[in-house]
Amino acid sequence: MKKVIAILFIALIAAAGWYFFLKPGDFTAKIKAKTTLGTIEQSIKNWKDGALITDVKLGEENIQITQEFTRQDSTHIYEWHIAKIHDSLSEITVHVTDPTHSLSNRLQGVFKTTDFKKSATATVLEFNELLQDHLDRITVTIIGEEELPAKFYAYTTLEGLQILKAGGMMRDINHLQGTMASYDIALDGRPFVQITDWNRDTDSIKYHFAFPIIERDSLPQVKDIKYGSRHATRAIKAIYNGNYITSDRAWYALLNYAKSNNINVDPKPTEVFYNNPNMGGDESNWKTEIYMPIMN
């Protein structure tokens, strides 16, 4: 009997030690979402103004993001762990810590629902609601392997955060389209974005915003407009429906598809746009064809 009591006492001490000093976070919550790691990553990074991202670790099957929220007299640390369950399902585990009042929060949490826990719960629920609403507003459909056709085009060069890509397009669309019209240059397809560099560590891109045109001997030399061409390219293709600000959700879906199917791709997608965002309309009906080049 004494041995049983001793074992139970040691187990109790060990459990208390883990709870008060080793447990990751003063509060922990889990969320499942039918989407890719990259879509959740971008949603966490951009969902809350004033929430500081202090650390990001990117992996093929998991992502870790550390985020700080200012809450009255203290800073709350949110450690988001995103893990791939399978191609269409991810799990988010978030550990929340108040470093200034951690021991107090854990002690009080044994006996009652603290203000800290209420705040953390409300924050996680708010994020989950915004994430699910975002997923309801977009659709990504993987088509598979297809050829991106050859084109000659006029373009402008831009760079910045990937979430600001649509703003660059809206800024230059009238300049490009108007210039081609004023010189009677015939268009040869829909406008597109060609990503020339994608830095996932900084979420920044360099890209061309372009209109396909019929090539001719004499082309106008206009400030900020250049001309280029691309060869026909084998690629994996997706259809994205939704606001162009978040069309990069299809990039992550294509990378996921490529990995699952052992396809070696160059992560510099081309997006072909079917709608003019300056004209407004129902964003869920906006269409983009997205091609991720296949490397030999």
Side-chain angles (χ1 to χ4, degrees):
M1 187 64 180
K2 290 183 178 180
K3 286 185 178 180
V4 173
I5 294 174
I7 291 171
L8 290 176
F9 181 74
I10 292 171
L12 180 62
I13 294 297
W18 173 84
Y19 176 80
F20 286 107
F21 303 108
L22 299 177
K23 178 177 175 286
D26 305 336
F27 169 79
T28 296
K30 289 183 180 290
I31 300 169
K32 289 185 179 179
K34 294 180 179 180
T35 190
T36 63
L37 302 184
T39 292
I40 300 172
E41 171 202 344
Q42 291 303 311
S43 297
I44 291 172
K45 288 178 177 178
N46 296 293
W47 80 285
K48 196 78 167 176
D49 292 337
L52 179 65
I53 301 294
T54 60
D55 188 44
V56 178
K57 294 182 176 65
L58 300 175
E60 291 187 351
E61 301 293 334
N62 57 77
I63 293 172
Q64 297 180 32
I65 300 172
T66 303
Q67 193 172 40
E68 293 185 358
F69 291 79
T70 301
R71 291 286 188 265
Q72 297 179 348
D73 62 339
S74 61
T75 297
H76 292 182
I77 309 298
Y78 283 64
E79 294 183 357
W80 306 86
H81 299 259
I82 317 164
K84 176 181 176 181
I85 296 178
H86 53 68
D87 284 351
S88 59
L89 184 65
S90 301
E91 182 176 72
I92 309 162
T93 302
V94 55
H95 302 298
V96 188
T97 304
D98 177 354
T100 306
H101 308 98
S102 181
L103 188 59
S104 173
N105 286 331
R106 295 185 187 213
L107 180 60
Q108 293 183 58
V110 175
F111 306 103
K112 66 178 183 178
T113 301
T114 62
D115 290 340
F116 165 79
K117 184 176 180 180
K118 290 177 184 177
S119 173
T121 300
T123 299
V124 173
L125 288 174
E126 180 186 358
F127 168 76
N128 184 52
E129 183 178 347
L130 290 173
L131 174 63
Q132 298 305 326
D133 180 68
H134 171 56
L135 297 178
D136 288 342
R137 292 173 181 269
I138 66 171
T139 304
V140 178
T141 306
I142 302 294
I143 304 301
E145 292 192 29
E146 197 166 302
E147 183 176 87
L148 176 64
K151 289 290 180 181
F152 184 81
Y153 52 88
Y155 69 96
T156 58
T157 301
L158 302 102
E159 61 180 282
L161 295 176
Q162 61 198 60
I163 197 173
L164 300 179
K165 168 175 57 67
M169 294 163 51
M170 294 175 72
R171 187 198 72 188
D172 284 2
I173 189 169
N174 290 333
H175 177 46
L176 269 170
Q177 199 169 26
T179 299
M180 298 304 105
S182 65
Y183 286 94
D184 294 321
I185 297 174
L187 300 182
D188 186 30
R190 300 181 182 278
F192 66 91
V193 159
Q194 168 64 61
I195 304 300
T196 58
D197 183 73
W198 179 17
N199 187 329
R200 287 197 61 186
D201 290 328
T202 61
D203 298 320
S204 60
I205 54 174
K206 297 178 181 178
Y207 59 105
H208 297 163
F209 179 49
F211 271 88
I213 60 174
I214 301 297
E215 187 174 6
R216 68 188 197 189
D217 292 336
S218 178
L219 290 167
Q221 301 304 304
V222 179
K223 182 181 179 181
D224 298 329
I225 295 181
K226 301 176 183 179
Y227 302 95
S229 61
R230 68 167 186 243
H231 301 294
T233 305
R234 288 177 59 246
I236 50 175
K237 175 182 175 181
I239 300 294
Y240 169 83
N241 298 106
N243 193 301
Y244 294 158
I245 292 174
T246 53
S247 58
D248 60 355
R249 300 339 186 212
W251 305 359
Y252 298 107
L254 286 169
L255 289 178
N256 191 51
Y257 176 85
K259 184 176 184 300
S260 296
N261 291 275
N262 297 314
I263 301 172
N264 190 20
V265 295
D266 183 5
K268 297 174 184 174
T270 294
E271 302 187 327
V272 181
F273 303 99
Y274 279 68
N275 304 84
N276 182 345
N278 288 325
M279 301 301 291
D282 184 354
E283 297 174 356
S284 63
N285 292 326
W286 294 1
K287 177 182 175 182
T288 312
E289 293 179 342
I290 300 180
Y291 298 83
M292 190 78 71
I294 296 174
M295 298 178 67
N296 296 326

